[in-house]
Amino acid sequence: MQVRTRHTPTFGVARLVLAPGEAVLADPLTIAATSYGLTVEVKGAGAKAVALCTAGAEGGWIDAAPVLPGDLHQIELDGAYGWCLARHSWIASSSTVAMNPEAPPMQAIFGGVEGFMNYAHGKGAVVLACYGALDLVTLEAGEAVTISSDHVVAFADTVQCRLRPSVPDGVQSIQTGEGLVFDFAGPGAVLTQTRGPRRLTTWLRANGVSSRS
């Protein structure tokens, strides 16, 4: 899979170029267009829906456009280590990349409960979207930082992390990340976004904009 981006950094679209017979996994909500004859098979439903896209004998392409405006980022996995990804940030990955929400790093973070992140490992490309601009936080050994879960896009599994409430006794959710922050310690990289999707929802509701308006 080759990834070609356009309209970045504000309204990024990723064109996923596939070789003949090559398959890729994508978020069905992000598929804006495909080459004629490309097969799209959606498995699962709701937030867990995944589209298996397979090119024909002559190859093909998919245009993946994130729901929220912002930048795109590509991670190339080499099999040496994996990445923890915010579910809302993932838009596509090579079929050779495995997604496992029950992997040991997820167990360590969520204690056996399926949470708002997933784990990617294997070899191949992973395409991520962020809301707003992308920031890279590179932590040296022993260096620590605290980041709101709403602003975390992904982080390498070499990074030590702890998930905790942002405010004691406040409203919190393992499924959405509401009311939670990450404490990270290096070495490793953390990808963050300059805007928070849940904060957008809160702002819209506070200003009288809702699904019932």
PDB file of all heavy atoms in Angstrom, residues 87-125:
ATOM      1  N   ARG A  87      -8.969   5.033  19.117  1.00  0.00           N
ATOM      2  CA  ARG A  87      -9.868   4.438  18.120  1.00  0.00           C
ATOM      3  C   ARG A  87     -10.350   5.456  17.094  1.00  0.00           C
ATOM      4  O   ARG A  87     -10.495   5.140  15.908  1.00  0.00           O
ATOM      5  CB  ARG A  87     -11.060   3.787  18.826  1.00  0.00           C
ATOM      6  CG  ARG A  87     -10.699   2.520  19.602  1.00  0.00           C
ATOM      7  CD  ARG A  87     -11.937   1.908  20.233  1.00  0.00           C
ATOM      8  NE  ARG A  87     -11.627   0.716  20.997  1.00  0.00           N
ATOM      9  CZ  ARG A  87     -11.522  -0.515  20.493  1.00  0.00           C
ATOM     10  NH1 ARG A  87     -11.703  -0.695  19.202  1.00  0.00           N
ATOM     11  NH2 ARG A  87     -11.240  -1.537  21.262  1.00  0.00           N
ATOM     12  N   HIS A  88     -10.652   6.676  17.528  1.00  0.00           N
ATOM     13  CA  HIS A  88     -11.182   7.673  16.603  1.00  0.00           C
ATOM     14  C   HIS A  88     -10.105   8.216  15.660  1.00  0.00           C
ATOM     15  O   HIS A  88     -10.422   8.932  14.702  1.00  0.00           O
ATOM     16  CB  HIS A  88     -11.837   8.827  17.363  1.00  0.00           C
ATOM     17  CG  HIS A  88     -10.899   9.578  18.256  1.00  0.00           C
ATOM     18  ND1 HIS A  88      -9.929  10.426  17.783  1.00  0.00           N
ATOM     19  CD2 HIS A  88     -10.777   9.601  19.607  1.00  0.00           C
ATOM     20  CE1 HIS A  88      -9.259  10.946  18.798  1.00  0.00           C
ATOM     21  NE2 HIS A  88      -9.747  10.456  19.915  1.00  0.00           N
ATOM     22  N   SER A  89      -8.829   7.888  15.912  1.00  0.00           N
ATOM     23  CA  SER A  89      -7.741   8.394  15.073  1.00  0.00           C
ATOM     24  C   SER A  89      -7.413   7.468  13.904  1.00  0.00           C
ATOM     25  O   SER A  89      -6.852   7.905  12.899  1.00  0.00           O
ATOM     26  CB  SER A  89      -6.483   8.608  15.913  1.00  0.00           C
ATOM     27  OG  SER A  89      -6.688   9.595  16.900  1.00  0.00           O
ATOM     28  N   TRP A  90      -7.733   6.185  14.040  1.00  0.00           N
ATOM     29  CA  TRP A  90      -7.386   5.225  12.994  1.00  0.00           C
ATOM     30  C   TRP A  90      -8.316   5.373  11.795  1.00  0.00           C
ATOM     31  O   TRP A  90      -9.529   5.427  11.937  1.00  0.00           O
ATOM     32  CB  TRP A  90      -7.509   3.802  13.541  1.00  0.00           C
ATOM     33  CG  TRP A  90      -7.290   2.717  12.524  1.00  0.00           C
ATOM     34  CD1 TRP A  90      -6.100   2.223  12.083  1.00  0.00           C
ATOM     35  CD2 TRP A  90      -8.299   2.000  11.799  1.00  0.00           C
ATOM     36  NE1 TRP A  90      -6.293   1.241  11.135  1.00  0.00           N
ATOM     37  CE2 TRP A  90      -7.637   1.081  10.940  1.00  0.00           C
ATOM     38  CE3 TRP A  90      -9.697   2.036  11.799  1.00  0.00           C
ATOM     39  CZ2 TRP A  90      -8.325   0.217  10.093  1.00  0.00           C
ATOM     40  CZ3 TRP A  90     -10.379   1.174  10.951  1.00  0.00           C
ATOM     41  CH2 TRP A  90      -9.699   0.276  10.113  1.00  0.00           C
ATOM     42  N   ILE A  91      -7.722   5.443  10.587  1.00  0.00           N
ATOM     43  CA  ILE A  91      -8.562   5.481   9.391  1.00  0.00           C
ATOM     44  C   ILE A  91      -8.246   4.337   8.433  1.00  0.00           C
ATOM     45  O   ILE A  91      -9.123   3.919   7.672  1.00  0.00           O
ATOM     46  CB  ILE A  91      -8.507   6.834   8.654  1.00  0.00           C
ATOM     47  CG1 ILE A  91      -7.101   7.148   8.155  1.00  0.00           C
ATOM     48  CG2 ILE A  91      -9.009   7.948   9.538  1.00  0.00           C
ATOM     49  CD1 ILE A  91      -7.085   8.380   7.237  1.00  0.00           C
ATOM     50  N   ALA A  92      -7.006   3.800   8.471  1.00  0.00           N
ATOM     51  CA  ALA A  92      -6.700   2.694   7.572  1.00  0.00           C
ATOM     52  C   ALA A  92      -5.383   2.051   7.975  1.00  0.00           C
ATOM     53  O   ALA A  92      -4.545   2.661   8.636  1.00  0.00           O
ATOM     54  CB  ALA A  92      -6.611   3.180   6.127  1.00  0.00           C
ATOM     55  N   SER A  93      -5.195   0.800   7.524  1.00  0.00           N
ATOM     56  CA  SER A  93      -3.927   0.105   7.750  1.00  0.00           C
ATOM     57  C   SER A  93      -3.780  -1.038   6.760  1.00  0.00           C
ATOM     58  O   SER A  93      -4.773  -1.554   6.216  1.00  0.00           O
ATOM     59  CB  SER A  93      -3.830  -0.425   9.186  1.00  0.00           C
ATOM     60  OG  SER A  93      -4.937  -1.235   9.517  1.00  0.00           O
ATOM     61  N   SER A  94      -2.542  -1.436   6.522  1.00  0.00           N
ATOM     62  CA  SER A  94      -2.267  -2.572   5.649  1.00  0.00           C
ATOM     63  C   SER A  94      -2.897  -3.825   6.239  1.00  0.00           C
ATOM     64  O   SER A  94      -3.032  -3.960   7.454  1.00  0.00           O
ATOM     65  CB  SER A  94      -0.756  -2.772   5.512  1.00  0.00           C
ATOM     66  OG  SER A  94      -0.115  -1.614   5.020  1.00  0.00           O
ATOM     67  N   SER A  95      -3.249  -4.761   5.365  1.00  0.00           N
ATOM     68  CA  SER A  95      -3.845  -6.010   5.851  1.00  0.00           C
ATOM     69  C   SER A  95      -2.842  -6.843   6.642  1.00  0.00           C
ATOM     70  O   SER A  95      -3.228  -7.791   7.335  1.00  0.00           O
ATOM     71  CB  SER A  95      -4.389  -6.815   4.668  1.00  0.00           C
ATOM     72  OG  SER A  95      -3.350  -7.130   3.753  1.00  0.00           O
ATOM     73  N   THR A  96      -1.550  -6.505   6.544  1.00  0.00           N
ATOM     74  CA  THR A  96      -0.508  -7.212   7.289  1.00  0.00           C
ATOM     75  C   THR A  96      -0.332  -6.665   8.701  1.00  0.00           C
ATOM     76  O   THR A  96       0.483  -7.183   9.468  1.00  0.00           O
ATOM     77  CB  THR A  96       0.829  -7.116   6.540  1.00  0.00           C
ATOM     78  OG1 THR A  96       1.105  -5.738   6.247  1.00  0.00           O
ATOM     79  CG2 THR A  96       0.786  -7.900   5.246  1.00  0.00           C
ATOM     80  N   VAL A  97      -1.082  -5.623   9.040  1.00  0.00           N
ATOM     81  CA  VAL A  97      -1.052  -5.051  10.393  1.00  0.00           C
ATOM     82  C   VAL A  97      -2.233  -5.611  11.180  1.00  0.00           C
ATOM     83  O   VAL A  97      -3.372  -5.550  10.724  1.00  0.00           O
ATOM     84  CB  VAL A  97      -1.128  -3.508  10.350  1.00  0.00           C
ATOM     85  CG1 VAL A  97      -1.291  -2.939  11.756  1.00  0.00           C
ATOM     86  CG2 VAL A  97       0.120  -2.942   9.685  1.00  0.00           C
ATOM     87  N   ALA A  98      -1.955  -6.157  12.343  1.00  0.00           N
ATOM     88  CA  ALA A  98      -3.009  -6.716  13.202  1.00  0.00           C
ATOM     89  C   ALA A  98      -3.443  -5.686  14.231  1.00  0.00           C
ATOM     90  O   ALA A  98      -2.625  -4.951  14.786  1.00  0.00           O
ATOM     91  CB  ALA A  98      -2.504  -7.974  13.903  1.00  0.00           C
ATOM     92  N   MET A  99      -4.753  -5.639  14.484  1.00  0.00           N
ATOM     93  CA  MET A  99      -5.318  -4.764  15.508  1.00  0.00           C
ATOM     94  C   MET A  99      -5.867  -5.650  16.625  1.00  0.00           C
ATOM     95  O   MET A  99      -6.711  -6.509  16.381  1.00  0.00           O
ATOM     96  CB  MET A  99      -6.436  -3.907  14.922  1.00  0.00           C
ATOM     97  CG  MET A  99      -6.037  -3.124  13.676  1.00  0.00           C
ATOM     98  SD  MET A  99      -4.824  -1.822  13.986  1.00  0.00           S
ATOM     99  CE  MET A  99      -5.847  -0.628  14.832  1.00  0.00           C
ATOM    100  N   ASN A 100      -5.366  -5.451  17.830  1.00  0.00           N
ATOM    101  CA  ASN A 100      -5.731  -6.339  18.928  1.00  0.00           C
ATOM    102  C   ASN A 100      -6.033  -5.538  20.202  1.00  0.00           C
ATOM    103  O   ASN A 100      -5.120  -5.151  20.932  1.00  0.00           O
ATOM    104  CB  ASN A 100      -4.612  -7.338  19.190  1.00  0.00           C
ATOM    105  CG  ASN A 100      -4.971  -8.341  20.270  1.00  0.00           C
ATOM    106  OD1 ASN A 100      -6.099  -8.394  20.745  1.00  0.00           O
ATOM    107  ND2 ASN A 100      -4.006  -9.151  20.678  1.00  0.00           N
ATOM    108  N   PRO A 101      -7.321  -5.288  20.496  1.00  0.00           N
ATOM    109  CA  PRO A 101      -7.674  -4.518  21.701  1.00  0.00           C
ATOM    110  C   PRO A 101      -7.421  -5.281  23.002  1.00  0.00           C
ATOM    111  O   PRO A 101      -7.513  -4.703  24.075  1.00  0.00           O
ATOM    112  CB  PRO A 101      -9.177  -4.262  21.502  1.00  0.00           C
ATOM    113  CG  PRO A 101      -9.648  -5.391  20.655  1.00  0.00           C
ATOM    114  CD  PRO A 101      -8.512  -5.687  19.717  1.00  0.00           C
ATOM    115  N   GLU A 102      -7.100  -6.581  22.880  1.00  0.00           N
ATOM    116  CA  GLU A 102      -6.836  -7.384  24.074  1.00  0.00           C
ATOM    117  C   GLU A 102      -5.351  -7.661  24.264  1.00  0.00           C
ATOM    118  O   GLU A 102      -4.973  -8.497  25.090  1.00  0.00           O
ATOM    119  CB  GLU A 102      -7.598  -8.705  23.986  1.00  0.00           C
ATOM    120  CG  GLU A 102      -9.115  -8.522  23.917  1.00  0.00           C
ATOM    121  CD  GLU A 102      -9.864  -9.827  23.803  1.00  0.00           C
ATOM    122  OE1 GLU A 102      -9.199 -10.887  23.677  1.00  0.00           O
ATOM    123  OE2 GLU A 102     -11.105  -9.808  23.854  1.00  0.00           O
ATOM    124  N   ALA A 103      -4.489  -6.968  23.525  1.00  0.00           N
ATOM    125  CA  ALA A 103      -3.051  -7.156  23.641  1.00  0.00           C
ATOM    126  C   ALA A 103      -2.566  -6.732  25.037  1.00  0.00           C
ATOM    127  O   ALA A 103      -3.226  -5.922  25.708  1.00  0.00           O
ATOM    128  CB  ALA A 103      -2.330  -6.350  22.570  1.00  0.00           C
ATOM    129  N   PRO A 104      -1.428  -7.272  25.493  1.00  0.00           N
ATOM    130  CA  PRO A 104      -0.918  -6.930  26.835  1.00  0.00           C
ATOM    131  C   PRO A 104      -0.844  -5.433  27.138  1.00  0.00           C
ATOM    132  O   PRO A 104      -1.218  -5.029  28.253  1.00  0.00           O
ATOM    133  CB  PRO A 104       0.467  -7.586  26.842  1.00  0.00           C
ATOM    134  CG  PRO A 104       0.306  -8.775  25.955  1.00  0.00           C
ATOM    135  CD  PRO A 104      -0.614  -8.322  24.851  1.00  0.00           C
ATOM    136  N   PRO A 105      -0.406  -4.570  26.189  1.00  0.00           N
ATOM    137  CA  PRO A 105      -0.409  -3.136  26.513  1.00  0.00           C
ATOM    138  C   PRO A 105      -1.798  -2.589  26.830  1.00  0.00           C
ATOM    139  O   PRO A 105      -1.954  -1.721  27.695  1.00  0.00           O
ATOM    140  CB  PRO A 105       0.173  -2.488  25.244  1.00  0.00           C
ATOM    141  CG  PRO A 105       1.002  -3.558  24.633  1.00  0.00           C
ATOM    142  CD  PRO A 105       0.244  -4.829  24.891  1.00  0.00           C
ATOM    143  N   MET A 106      -2.841  -3.114  26.142  1.00  0.00           N
ATOM    144  CA  MET A 106      -4.203  -2.675  26.419  1.00  0.00           C
ATOM    145  C   MET A 106      -4.688  -3.225  27.762  1.00  0.00           C
ATOM    146  O   MET A 106      -5.402  -2.545  28.516  1.00  0.00           O
ATOM    147  CB  MET A 106      -5.151  -3.133  25.297  1.00  0.00           C
ATOM    148  CG  MET A 106      -4.849  -2.556  23.926  1.00  0.00           C
ATOM    149  SD  MET A 106      -5.127  -0.755  23.794  1.00  0.00           S
ATOM    150  CE  MET A 106      -3.465  -0.126  24.142  1.00  0.00           C
ATOM    151  N   GLN A 107      -4.296  -4.447  28.069  1.00  0.00           N
ATOM    152  CA  GLN A 107      -4.645  -5.042  29.362  1.00  0.00           C
ATOM    153  C   GLN A 107      -4.046  -4.219  30.489  1.00  0.00           C
ATOM    154  O   GLN A 107      -4.687  -3.984  31.525  1.00  0.00           O
ATOM    155  CB  GLN A 107      -4.133  -6.490  29.439  1.00  0.00           C
ATOM    156  CG  GLN A 107      -4.757  -7.446  28.443  1.00  0.00           C
ATOM    157  CD  GLN A 107      -6.130  -7.932  28.873  1.00  0.00           C
ATOM    158  OE1 GLN A 107      -6.503  -7.817  30.026  1.00  0.00           O
ATOM    159  NE2 GLN A 107      -6.885  -8.471  27.928  1.00  0.00           N
ATOM    160  N   ALA A 108      -2.806  -3.776  30.302  1.00  0.00           N
ATOM    161  CA  ALA A 108      -2.131  -3.003  31.345  1.00  0.00           C
ATOM    162  C   ALA A 108      -2.797  -1.643  31.566  1.00  0.00           C
ATOM    163  O   ALA A 108      -2.875  -1.155  32.698  1.00  0.00           O
ATOM    164  CB  ALA A 108      -0.662  -2.806  30.963  1.00  0.00           C
ATOM    165  N   ILE A 109      -3.311  -1.047  30.482  1.00  0.00           N
ATOM    166  CA  ILE A 109      -3.930   0.279  30.600  1.00  0.00           C
ATOM    167  C   ILE A 109      -5.352   0.190  31.146  1.00  0.00           C
ATOM    168  O   ILE A 109      -5.733   0.932  32.057  1.00  0.00           O
ATOM    169  CB  ILE A 109      -3.951   0.985  29.235  1.00  0.00           C
ATOM    170  CG1 ILE A 109      -2.524   1.272  28.756  1.00  0.00           C
ATOM    171  CG2 ILE A 109      -4.737   2.300  29.318  1.00  0.00           C
ATOM    172  CD1 ILE A 109      -2.458   1.806  27.337  1.00  0.00           C
ATOM    173  N   PHE A 110      -6.142  -0.738  30.585  1.00  0.00           N
ATOM    174  CA  PHE A 110      -7.574  -0.777  30.893  1.00  0.00           C
ATOM    175  C   PHE A 110      -7.977  -1.901  31.844  1.00  0.00           C
ATOM    176  O   PHE A 110      -9.160  -2.023  32.182  1.00  0.00           O
ATOM    177  CB  PHE A 110      -8.371  -0.897  29.594  1.00  0.00           C
ATOM    178  CG  PHE A 110      -8.167   0.256  28.649  1.00  0.00           C
ATOM    179  CD1 PHE A 110      -7.526   0.079  27.429  1.00  0.00           C
ATOM    180  CD2 PHE A 110      -8.602   1.531  28.981  1.00  0.00           C
ATOM    181  CE1 PHE A 110      -7.335   1.133  26.557  1.00  0.00           C
ATOM    182  CE2 PHE A 110      -8.411   2.599  28.121  1.00  0.00           C
ATOM    183  CZ  PHE A 110      -7.772   2.402  26.909  1.00  0.00           C
ATOM    184  N   GLY A 111      -7.027  -2.728  32.257  1.00  0.00           N
ATOM    185  CA  GLY A 111      -7.334  -3.760  33.237  1.00  0.00           C
ATOM    186  C   GLY A 111      -8.299  -4.819  32.765  1.00  0.00           C
ATOM    187  O   GLY A 111      -9.111  -5.319  33.549  1.00  0.00           O
ATOM    188  N   GLY A 112      -8.236  -5.169  31.482  1.00  0.00           N
ATOM    189  CA  GLY A 112      -9.094  -6.232  30.965  1.00  0.00           C
ATOM    190  C   GLY A 112     -10.405  -5.759  30.375  1.00  0.00           C
ATOM    191  O   GLY A 112     -11.154  -6.544  29.801  1.00  0.00           O
ATOM    192  N   VAL A 113     -10.715  -4.459  30.513  1.00  0.00           N
ATOM    193  CA  VAL A 113     -11.935  -3.890  29.927  1.00  0.00           C
ATOM    194  C   VAL A 113     -11.576  -3.235  28.595  1.00  0.00           C
ATOM    195  O   VAL A 113     -10.553  -2.569  28.476  1.00  0.00           O
ATOM    196  CB  VAL A 113     -12.565  -2.840  30.876  1.00  0.00           C
ATOM    197  CG1 VAL A 113     -13.795  -2.218  30.240  1.00  0.00           C
ATOM    198  CG2 VAL A 113     -12.901  -3.472  32.214  1.00  0.00           C
ATOM    199  N   GLU A 114     -12.411  -3.440  27.579  1.00  0.00           N
ATOM    200  CA  GLU A 114     -12.143  -2.819  26.280  1.00  0.00           C
ATOM    201  C   GLU A 114     -12.358  -1.318  26.374  1.00  0.00           C
ATOM    202  O   GLU A 114     -13.440  -0.855  26.750  1.00  0.00           O
ATOM    203  CB  GLU A 114     -13.052  -3.430  25.213  1.00  0.00           C
ATOM    204  CG  GLU A 114     -12.666  -3.027  23.801  1.00  0.00           C
ATOM    205  CD  GLU A 114     -13.368  -3.835  22.735  1.00  0.00           C
ATOM    206  OE1 GLU A 114     -13.648  -5.034  22.982  1.00  0.00           O
ATOM    207  OE2 GLU A 114     -13.643  -3.274  21.663  1.00  0.00           O
ATOM    208  N   GLY A 115     -11.327  -0.566  26.048  1.00  0.00           N
ATOM    209  CA  GLY A 115     -11.386   0.882  26.222  1.00  0.00           C
ATOM    210  C   GLY A 115     -11.393   1.650  24.921  1.00  0.00           C
ATOM    211  O   GLY A 115     -11.761   1.124  23.865  1.00  0.00           O
ATOM    212  N   PHE A 116     -10.958   2.898  24.992  1.00  0.00           N
ATOM    213  CA  PHE A 116     -11.051   3.808  23.856  1.00  0.00           C
ATOM    214  C   PHE A 116      -9.816   3.766  22.963  1.00  0.00           C
ATOM    215  O   PHE A 116      -9.670   4.581  22.050  1.00  0.00           O
ATOM    216  CB  PHE A 116     -11.283   5.245  24.341  1.00  0.00           C
ATOM    217  CG  PHE A 116     -10.185   5.792  25.222  1.00  0.00           C
ATOM    218  CD1 PHE A 116      -9.119   6.494  24.688  1.00  0.00           C
ATOM    219  CD2 PHE A 116     -10.219   5.584  26.592  1.00  0.00           C
ATOM    220  CE1 PHE A 116      -8.110   6.988  25.492  1.00  0.00           C
ATOM    221  CE2 PHE A 116      -9.221   6.088  27.423  1.00  0.00           C
ATOM    222  CZ  PHE A 116      -8.164   6.782  26.862  1.00  0.00           C
ATOM    223  N   MET A 117      -8.911   2.791  23.202  1.00  0.00           N
ATOM    224  CA  MET A 117      -7.714   2.665  22.384  1.00  0.00           C
ATOM    225  C   MET A 117      -7.622   1.250  21.828  1.00  0.00           C
ATOM    226  O   MET A 117      -8.274   0.323  22.312  1.00  0.00           O
ATOM    227  CB  MET A 117      -6.464   3.012  23.183  1.00  0.00           C
ATOM    228  CG  MET A 117      -6.479   4.396  23.796  1.00  0.00           C
ATOM    229  SD  MET A 117      -4.845   5.001  24.194  1.00  0.00           S
ATOM    230  CE  MET A 117      -4.230   5.466  22.569  1.00  0.00           C
ATOM    231  N   ASN A 118      -6.803   1.102  20.790  1.00  0.00           N
ATOM    232  CA  ASN A 118      -6.541  -0.191  20.179  1.00  0.00           C
ATOM    233  C   ASN A 118      -5.039  -0.357  20.041  1.00  0.00           C
ATOM    234  O   ASN A 118      -4.278   0.603  20.228  1.00  0.00           O
ATOM    235  CB  ASN A 118      -7.221  -0.280  18.814  1.00  0.00           C
ATOM    236  CG  ASN A 118      -7.596  -1.705  18.439  1.00  0.00           C
ATOM    237  OD1 ASN A 118      -7.036  -2.675  18.950  1.00  0.00           O
ATOM    238  ND2 ASN A 118      -8.567  -1.841  17.542  1.00  0.00           N
ATOM    239  N   TYR A 119      -4.607  -1.579  19.716  1.00  0.00           N
ATOM    240  CA  TYR A 119      -3.174  -1.848  19.617  1.00  0.00           C
ATOM    241  C   TYR A 119      -2.861  -2.400  18.236  1.00  0.00           C
ATOM    242  O   TYR A 119      -3.492  -3.366  17.781  1.00  0.00           O
ATOM    243  CB  TYR A 119      -2.760  -2.857  20.680  1.00  0.00           C
ATOM    244  CG  TYR A 119      -1.285  -3.170  20.710  1.00  0.00           C
ATOM    245  CD1 TYR A 119      -0.360  -2.222  21.153  1.00  0.00           C
ATOM    246  CD2 TYR A 119      -0.810  -4.400  20.283  1.00  0.00           C
ATOM    247  CE1 TYR A 119       0.993  -2.507  21.176  1.00  0.00           C
ATOM    248  CE2 TYR A 119       0.546  -4.697  20.304  1.00  0.00           C
ATOM    249  CZ  TYR A 119       1.442  -3.744  20.762  1.00  0.00           C
ATOM    250  OH  TYR A 119       2.791  -4.026  20.787  1.00  0.00           O
ATOM    251  N   ALA A 120      -1.895  -1.780  17.560  1.00  0.00           N
ATOM    252  CA  ALA A 120      -1.485  -2.193  16.224  1.00  0.00           C
ATOM    253  C   ALA A 120      -0.087  -2.786  16.271  1.00  0.00           C
ATOM    254  O   ALA A 120       0.823  -2.209  16.868  1.00  0.00           O
ATOM    255  CB  ALA A 120      -1.514  -0.999  15.273  1.00  0.00           C
ATOM    256  N   HIS A 121       0.069  -3.951  15.623  1.00  0.00           N
ATOM    257  CA  HIS A 121       1.396  -4.572  15.564  1.00  0.00           C
ATOM    258  C   HIS A 121       1.518  -5.365  14.275  1.00  0.00           C
ATOM    259  O   HIS A 121       0.530  -5.623  13.578  1.00  0.00           O
ATOM    260  CB  HIS A 121       1.626  -5.471  16.782  1.00  0.00           C
ATOM    261  CG  HIS A 121       0.656  -6.605  16.899  1.00  0.00           C
ATOM    262  ND1 HIS A 121       0.924  -7.876  16.461  1.00  0.00           N
ATOM    263  CD2 HIS A 121      -0.613  -6.641  17.389  1.00  0.00           C
ATOM    264  CE1 HIS A 121      -0.112  -8.653  16.701  1.00  0.00           C
ATOM    265  NE2 HIS A 121      -1.072  -7.937  17.248  1.00  0.00           N
ATOM    266  N   GLY A 122       2.731  -5.748  13.945  1.00  0.00           N
ATOM    267  CA  GLY A 122       3.000  -6.430  12.694  1.00  0.00           C
ATOM    268  C   GLY A 122       3.873  -5.566  11.813  1.00  0.00           C
ATOM    269  O   GLY A 122       4.664  -4.752  12.292  1.00  0.00           O
ATOM    270  N   LYS A 123       3.752  -5.739  10.503  1.00  0.00           N
ATOM    271  CA  LYS A 123       4.520  -4.967   9.537  1.00  0.00           C
ATOM    272  C   LYS A 123       3.579  -4.330   8.517  1.00  0.00           C
ATOM    273  O   LYS A 123       2.676  -4.989   8.016  1.00  0.00           O
ATOM    274  CB  LYS A 123       5.545  -5.851   8.818  1.00  0.00           C
ATOM    275  CG  LYS A 123       6.656  -6.381   9.720  1.00  0.00           C
ATOM    276  CD  LYS A 123       7.681  -7.160   8.918  1.00  0.00           C
ATOM    277  CE  LYS A 123       8.821  -7.651   9.794  1.00  0.00           C
ATOM    278  NZ  LYS A 123       9.863  -8.373   9.023  1.00  0.00           N
ATOM    279  N   GLY A 124       3.808  -3.061   8.241  1.00  0.00           N
ATOM    280  CA  GLY A 124       2.977  -2.362   7.274  1.00  0.00           C
ATOM    281  C   GLY A 124       2.655  -0.950   7.720  1.00  0.00           C
ATOM    282  O   GLY A 124       3.140  -0.474   8.755  1.00  0.00           O
ATOM    283  N   ALA A 125       1.817  -0.294   6.929  1.00  0.00           N
ATOM    284  CA  ALA A 125       1.481   1.106   7.175  1.00  0.00           C
ATOM    285  C   ALA A 125       0.188   1.242   7.965  1.00  0.00           C
ATOM    286  O   ALA A 125      -0.746   0.467   7.802  1.00  0.00           O
ATOM    287  CB  ALA A 125       1.356   1.855   5.851  1.00  0.00           C
TER     288      ALA A 125
END
